[in-house]
């Protein structure tokens, strides 16, 4: 029996104060039409908690995560677990990871986490592991096999021989358009682990893979890129129902490569491209080096929000709840063989993209 989770049921529980806004969490529903137990989980990603000094943190990013946690705790029906998609911290500092972990500790239910590059490149994930355990792992839940990968590894040369200090390495990787970064990869060791892990499950078992970077090659200049994407995809292609859900990109993306559907989740911090209004404020924010088009340059939360994801027989329908904008629904189109927008704006009604100065 498929149960529908509506935005109304989420917001009814959230009460009048929050019912006027939408918040940057994602709900994922797995529906099997009676053959398996239906269940849901929530998804929060890219909070970028940033330490200033002492007990002071960048307030915008704190508030994004707090609000997502508050709404996740109010979701009806209650989700089975929460996935955090990486980039909990901005510069990988203990203060940031501790502060983020303290906030996440207020979540109801079990928390699973993905490693982001902002969590990793100060101490190569050592402190993150003390809080959350291994960098990659798998688990089964109600007939679905879940895999969590650490997809933000780069070459040893970049990691160990390029920068004078760990702090410098972290700063270079944290650049928003990443001019001094290096292409991400999953790496041979982890791919071998994945191969062995997947040998244990049947090809008809629904498979959900979580990564931080997209397990596909989108745009190298922003490091929306995983260098060994094809090798990872080859391990996933034999499965009938495969979905990859990733963070990192701070925007809506979807794609289909062979048997694999890809969906991004949105950030609780900033949208990408980055609003100029952030760059103008005197604040502790990453430096904007590349000006870019935004649909609404005056709305700093443009392109952030949250989404409902319904995975039915391996095909994902994502309903994006956008702040101050019409909802957007992306579903698998069997005729075309890939996900498409099903309720996109009429071309004649679209707001023209603008540069802002
Ligand atoms: Fe991020
Ligand atoms: Fe990231």
């Amino acid at each position: 029996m498929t149960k529908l989770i509506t935005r109304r049921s989420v917001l009814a529980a959230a009460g009048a104060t929050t019912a006027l806004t939408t918040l940057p969490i994602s709900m994922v529903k797995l529906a099997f039409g009676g053959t398996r137990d239906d269940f849901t989980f929530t998804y929060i990603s890219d909070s970028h908690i940033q330490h200033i000094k002492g007990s002071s943190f960048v307030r915008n990013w704190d508030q994004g995560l707090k609000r997502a946690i508050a709404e996740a705790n109010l979701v009806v029906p209650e989700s089975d677990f929460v996935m955090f998609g990486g980039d909990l911290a901005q510069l990988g500092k203990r203060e940031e990871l501790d502060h983020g972990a303290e906030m996440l500790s207020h979540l109801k239910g079990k928390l699973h986490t993905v490693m982001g590059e902002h969590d990793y490149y100060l101490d190569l994930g050592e402190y993150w592991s003390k809080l959350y355990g291994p960098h990659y792992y798998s688990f089964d839940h109600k007939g679905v096999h879940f895999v969590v990968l650490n997809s933000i590894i780069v070459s040893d040369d970049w990691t160990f021989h390029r920068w004078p200090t760990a702090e410098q390495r972290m700063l270079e990787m944290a650049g928003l358009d990443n001019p001094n970064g290096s292409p991400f990869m999953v790496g041979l060791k982890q791919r071998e682990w994945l191969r062995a892990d997947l040998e244990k499950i049947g090809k008809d078992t629904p498979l959900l893979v979580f990564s931080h970077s997209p397990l596909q090659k989108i745009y190298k200049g922003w490091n929306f890129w995983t260098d060994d994407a094809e090798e990872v995809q080859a391990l996933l292609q034999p499965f009938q129902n495969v979905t990859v859900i990733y963070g990192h990109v701070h925007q809506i993306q979807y794609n289909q490569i062979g048997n694999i559907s890809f969906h991004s989740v949105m950030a609780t911090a900033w949208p990408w491209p980055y609003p100029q209004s952030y760059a103008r404020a005197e604040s502790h924010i990453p430096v904007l080096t590349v000006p870019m088009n935004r649909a609404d340059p005056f709305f700093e939360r443009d392109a952030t929000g949250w989404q409902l994801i319904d995975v039915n027989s391996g095909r994902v329908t994502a309903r994006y709840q956008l702040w101050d904008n019409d909802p957007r629904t992306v579903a698998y189109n069997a005729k075309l063989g890939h996900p498409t927008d099903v309720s996109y704006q009429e071309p004649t009604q679209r707001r023209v993209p603008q540069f802002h100065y």
Side-chain angles (χ1 to χ4, degrees), residues 47-106:
S47 299
H48 292 266
I49 297 306
Q50 188 170 3
H51 185 233
I52 300 171
K53 61 179 176 183
S55 59
S56 180
F57 292 84
V58 174
R59 193 169 177 277
N60 261 15
W61 315 155
D62 273 19
Q63 292 309 311
L65 180 56
K66 277 183 192 164
R67 290 168 64 185
I69 289 166
E71 183 164 318
N73 284 341
L74 292 168
V75 164
V76 176
E78 199 171 312
S79 60
D80 282 20
F81 59 85
V82 180
M83 179 63 70
F84 187 84
D87 286 353
L88 176 61
Q90 169 62 11
L91 294 174
K93 294 161 72 175
R94 284 184 178 214
E95 291 91 336
E96 295 171 347
L97 290 166
D98 278 341
H99 189 50
E102 196 282 323
M103 285 191 261
L104 290 173
S105 75
H106 295 281

Side-chain angles (χ1 to χ4, degrees), residues 46 48 86-87 116-118 152 184 212 247-250:
D46 289 85
H48 292 266
D87 286 353
E117 83 278 20
H118 289 259
I152 52 80
F184 295 136
H212 182 67
H248 183 64
V249 296
H250 297 215

Side-chain angles (χ1 to χ4, degrees), residues 82-147:
V82 180
M83 179 63 70
F84 187 84
D87 286 353
L88 176 61
Q90 169 62 11
L91 294 174
K93 294 161 72 175
R94 284 184 178 214
E95 291 91 336
E96 295 171 347
L97 290 166
D98 278 341
H99 189 50
E102 196 282 323
M103 285 191 261
L104 290 173
S105 75
H106 295 281
L107 279 165
K108 282 193 224 161
K110 178 154 180 61
L111 173 69
H112 296 282
T113 48
V114 180
M115 175 72 77
E117 83 278 20
H118 289 259
D119 305 318
Y120 183 77
Y121 279 96
L122 182 63
D123 66 356
L124 305 182
E126 194 182 320
Y127 193 63
W128 187 96
S129 275
K130 285 206 173 96
L131 297 171
Y132 299 115
H135 296 184
Y136 53 93
Y137 54 97
S138 66
F139 61 96
D140 295 289
H141 186 76
K142 294 184 178 172
V144 178
H145 190 65
F146 291 89
V147 174

